Amino acid sequence: METDLTQVRNIGIMAHIDAGKTTVTERILYFSGKTHKIGEVHDGTAVMDFMQEEQERGITITSAATKCPWKGYDINLIDTPGHVDFTAEVERSLRVLDGAVAVFDASEGVQAQSETVWRQGQKYHLPCLCFINKMDKIGADFAMSVQSIRDKLLAHPVPVQIPIGAESDFSGFVDLLTMKAVFFKQEETAASFWEEEIPANLCDEAEQYRHAMIEAAADYDEKLMAAYLNDEPLTPEQIVSGLRKGTLEGKLQPVLVGSALRNMGVRRLLDAVTLYLPSPLERPAAVGFEKGDETKPIQIVCDSEEPFVGLAFKITADKHGDLYFVRIYRGALKTGSRVLNVNRDRKENITRIFQMHANSRNILDVAHAGDIVSVVGLKETLTGDTLCDTRHRVMLESISFPETVISMSIEPRSAADRMKLSEALLMLRKEDPTFVFKFDDETGQTIISGMGELHLEVLEHKLVRDLGVNVRVGKPRVAYKEAISKMAKAEGKFVRQTGGRGQYGQVAISIEPLLEEDGHYSRKNEFENATVGGVIPKEYIGSVKNGVFEGLSSGSLSGYPVVGAKVTLIDGSFHAVDSSEIAFEQAGVLAVREAMQNAGPILLEPVMRVQAVVPEANYGTVQGGLIAKRGEITDTHLHGNMRVIDAKVPLAEMFGYSGQIRSATGGRGSFSMEPLSYEKVPEQISEKILMGY
C-alpha cells in the first residue's frame, strides 16, 4: 500500500564527531518502537554502527539508513559520520534527503566539522533543526551554543525550548510554545517525564525567548503577524505554522535541547521533525535534463503515477549481491522491473527491493516516489547515476565529491593475494567514490588515495579483514598536485607513416593559470576551442580535448596531476587521408607536455583547516608547535578553561599530530582537521620533495 507522502519525512542526523549523532539516532529508534533495547556507542552495541570497525572505534564510518514510525508519520532516517575522512558519506546522504537535524555538543557549540556538514546541507538547501545535546555535560552552555550557531554558521537559530539547569543540574526544559516546564525523572533512563508550571526564576527568561520566537515566526506568516501586532492571544498551532514556513524556506532553524544519553528531549525532537521539516511533496521539484543537453531543465515532480526516476547514491558490497541505495524522486519501482541507467546508457534489472534497517532488510514488492530503498540486481551502476523508465530518458545532477589528499603504497604479500587485490580494489572503489587507486609502473606498487590517515587505515582493514587480501602497506604520503605560474604556447605534431594509411594530427595551444576568486588555484581544468576557418575538422576537436586532459593528468615536475590550467586550442592542421581521432588525441598530449615545460610549473600541496582545543596552560606550546609546522594561526578564543585554536597547516606537517598534541597537553588536548585548499609549496621545500622522485 502506498504511503501518504504528507506523512513522510526523509531526514539525516549530522554533526561534528562525538557530538552524539548516533546516540540521538539510537534513542529515536528506541522511542519510536523500532528497537526494544537501547544500543550504546560506548558499548559497541549501537544498531546503526553495525560495522566491526565502527564498534571497535566508537565512531560512525558509513551512513546507515532505517525507517521508523512516529505518531502516524514514517521517518526515513540516515545517521551520517562526523569524521572529515568520511565526508563522502555525508555528501551523498544529504544529496537525497529532504531535511536534517544538526546535533551540537552543548559544551562546545559549533565545531570545525559542524561547519563542514552545515555547508554541505546548505548546498542542497536542506531545511534544518538544531538539537543542543549533552546539556548534562560539564561546561554545557545553551546561550553560547546558540550564539555560535548564529556567528559561525551565519544561521538564524530560534529556540523553541530553553534548558532548566545545566551540567549535573540539567533536569528538563521549558517548552516555549505551551509555556510549560517539562521535567524528567532522575532515574537511570530518564524515560518518563511530566509537565508543570515554569519555575519562578525562569519566567522572565522564558518570556524573552518566547517573544523572540514569535517575532521570528511572524515574519513568515501574515495572519500570525496581524494577531501579534494586535496583542491577540496566540495558539501553539499558529506559532508552529509561522516557524514551519520559515524553516522550509531555510530562513530560520528551530532549536531544541536535551541529553540523548539520558533520554531527555528525544521524543520532543521527533515531534519537531514532524512539525517543522518538509515532506517530499514540500521540497522543490528535482531538476533533470536530457543527457548531453543541460539547457532544457526538466521538473521532476514527486508523483508515483509519473514515469520512474531515481538516483543511486550509495553502494554496499554484499556476499549475496551488491546493495544499491536509491532515492525515488518520481514514479514507482517494482520488483522484477527493467530500468535505464542514463549515465552508462545501459538497461538494468531490479531483482529485489528492500527497506533497510541498518544492516537488516525487509523485502518490498514496490517502492514509491519519496521512498529511500535499496535494490539488488544492478551491475554497471555507480554512485550518482540516474535510473529511470526505459521509455522516458531523464538525467539528474550527479553527486560531486572532494579530491583525495593522501596516498600510500600497498603490495600483496603473495601471488594468490595479487590475484585478489585488483578485484578487491574495484569493489572498494565502487563503494567509496573518494577512494582512488592506480598502478605505479616505475615502482611496481599500487598507490591508494583517500581523504585522511583514518580513511586509509579503515580501507586497509577492509581489504585484510573483510575481503581476505593480505597486503603490505607503505607510509602515508601527501597527494601533491602541479600548477603553472605563467602563460605559454606550444605545438604538438603526431605523424606516423607505415606504408599504408598513416597518422597525422597537428595542434597549437596556449596554456594559462586558472584561479578562483579567492586567488587559490582552481581544482578544475578548462579547455576552449578558439580555432576558426575549419583548420581542424569538428569531429577531431573532442579528441584534442581528450588528449589535453590526458596530458594534464601527469605534470612535468614529478608526474602529479595538473590543476588550475586553462588550455585553448588556437590552431592546427589536418590531412585529408591520414588524420584520425587517435592522431589528434596524441597531438593534444604532446602539445600540453611541451607547453607545461615553459609555463613555470610549480608544486601545490593540500592545506588543512585545523582546530585544536587545548588547556589554556598549554596554549603557547601548542601554538608554537603549529607555527613550526608552517602553520598560520587564523583565530583563537577561550572556551571555559580551554583554548580553541584555528589554523591553516600543510597536510605534510600533520602526520602523527594526534600523538604530539596528547604529549604536549598531558592527554587533555584534541584536534580536528579538514581539507581547505591547495597552495604553492615553498621553493626550498619543493626542491626537497622533488629530489625524492
Side-chain angles (χ1 to χ4, degrees), residues 290-305:
E290 290 184 23
K291 186 176 180 182
D293 184 3
E294 298 183 23
T295 61
K296 297 177 183 175
I298 301 168
Q299 297 294 307
I300 311 296
V301 180
C302 186
D303 185 344
S304 293
E305 301 301 318

Side-chain angles (χ1 to χ4, degrees), residues 403 514-516 519-526 563-565 604:
E403 296 178 59
L514 190 63
L515 302 176
E516 303 280 9
H520 290 120
Y521 279 90
S522 170
R523 301 282 184 91
K524 299 177 181 178
N525 296 315
E526 290 183 6
V563 294
L604 301 180

Side-chain angles (χ1 to χ4, degrees), residues 440 442-443 477 480 557-558 560 603 684-693:
D440 190 322
E442 292 183 17
T443 63
R477 59 191 194 189
Y480 294 100
L557 291 175
S558 58
Y560 287 116
L603 202 61
Q684 66 272 24
I685 294 171
S686 177
E687 288 171 9
K688 289 180 183 177
I689 294 168
L690 295 175
M691 283 175 65
Y693 289 89

Side-chain angles (χ1 to χ4, degrees), residues 130-146:
C130 300
F131 184 65
I132 309 294
N133 190 30
K134 301 190 179 184
M135 276 304 304
D136 57 331
K137 184 179 172 184
I138 293 174
D141 187 333
F142 176 73
M144 176 278 296
S145 297
V146 173

Side-chain angles (χ1 to χ4, degrees), residues 12-15 61-63 78-97 113 115-126 311-314 329 383-384 397-403 432-434 451 674:
I13 310 288
M14 61 184 196
I61 291 171
T62 180
S63 54
I78 296 183
D79 174 30
T80 64
H83 199 288
V84 67
D85 283 21
F86 310 107
T87 188
E89 289 289 333
V90 183
E91 185 77 32
R92 59 185 172 190
S93 298
L94 297 182
R95 167 72 170 80
V96 299
L97 292 171
Q113 188 64 8
E115 296 183 50
T116 304
V117 296
W118 189 270
R119 283 198 305 271
Q120 288 173 305
Q122 293 298 297
K123 182 164 83 174
Y124 298 119
H125 308 291
L126 286 186
L311 185 78
F313 67 94
K314 177 179 166 69
Y329 284 95
T383 299
E397 183 184 347
S398 192
I399 309 172
S400 58
F401 296 102
E403 296 178 59
D432 186 349
T434 55
M451 299 305 299
E674 62 173 338

Side-chain angles (χ1 to χ4, degrees), residues 64-115:
T66 189
K67 186 174 190 173
C68 54
W70 184 252
K71 296 183 179 179
Y73 288 81
D74 282 328
I75 299 175
N76 288 312
L77 178 67
I78 296 183
D79 174 30
T80 64
H83 199 288
V84 67
D85 283 21
F86 310 107
T87 188
E89 289 289 333
V90 183
E91 185 77 32
R92 59 185 172 190
S93 298
L94 297 182
R95 167 72 170 80
V96 299
L97 292 171
D98 299 323
V101 175
V103 179
F104 301 93
D105 184 323
S107 68
E108 305 288 347
V110 172
Q111 296 168 274
Q113 188 64 8
S114 311
E115 296 183 50

Side-chain angles (χ1 to χ4, degrees), residues 303-498:
D303 185 344
S304 293
E305 301 301 318
E306 293 289 317
F308 166 72
V309 179
L311 185 78
F313 67 94
K314 177 179 166 69
I315 303 168
T316 303
D318 190 271
K319 57 188 176 186
H320 303 300
D322 292 348
L323 273 176
Y324 294 76
F325 288 76
V326 177
R327 163 69 193 260
I328 302 175
Y329 284 95
R330 189 179 75 185
L333 186 62
K334 296 178 181 177
T335 297
S337 61
R338 198 160 166 78
V339 298
L340 174 69
N341 180 326
V342 189
N343 301 71
R344 316 282 151 210
D345 204 18
R346 292 282 189 276
K347 289 183 180 178
E348 298 263 48
N349 295 316
I350 306 293
T351 55
R352 284 281 180 89
I353 304 174
F354 299 108
Q355 182 68 64
M356 297 301 294
H357 174 48
N359 63 337
S360 62
R361 57 190 83 165
N362 299 317
I363 297 176
L364 301 175
D365 292 325
V366 62
H368 299 275
D371 281 341
I372 294 174
V373 295
S374 62
V375 301
V376 174
L378 305 178
K379 299 295 182 188
E380 299 186 47
T381 297
L382 298 177
T383 299
D385 285 359
T386 301
L387 303 173
C388 68
D389 187 290
T390 54
R391 294 160 299 177
H392 297 84
R393 299 169 65 96
V394 61
M395 190 174 189
L396 296 166
E397 183 184 347
S398 192
I399 309 172
S400 58
F401 296 102
E403 296 178 59
T404 58
V405 295
I406 189 170
S407 305
M408 72 180 182
S409 62
I410 60 169
E411 297 175 83
R413 290 184 181 271
S414 68
D417 289 317
R418 185 178 301 279
M419 296 290 288
K420 291 192 286 187
L421 180 61
S422 59
E423 189 177 324
L425 291 175
L426 285 169
M427 187 180 294
L428 290 178
R429 172 74 183 122
K430 198 173 186 181
E431 280 193 358
D432 186 349
T434 55
F435 168 64
V436 178
F437 67 92
K438 65 178 181 180
F439 186 74
D440 190 322
D441 293 323
E442 292 183 17
T443 63
Q445 295 174 318
T446 298
I447 308 298
I448 63 173
S449 305
M451 299 305 299
E453 286 183 273
L454 178 59
H455 188 200
L456 292 184
E457 194 178 319
V458 168
L459 288 167
E460 178 200 340
H461 289 177
K462 269 191 178 182
L463 276 174
V464 176
R465 186 157 57 191
D466 300 343
L467 302 175
V469 184
N470 209 353
V471 291
R472 185 185 296 111
V473 301
K475 289 184 178 179
R477 59 191 194 189
V478 176
Y480 294 100
K481 296 193 185 300
E482 289 187 32
I484 55 173
S485 57
K486 61 184 180 181
M487 182 179 178
K489 294 182 178 180
E491 180 184 300
K493 196 170 186 178
F494 185 79
V495 182
R496 293 286 185 275
Q497 212 57 51
T498 55

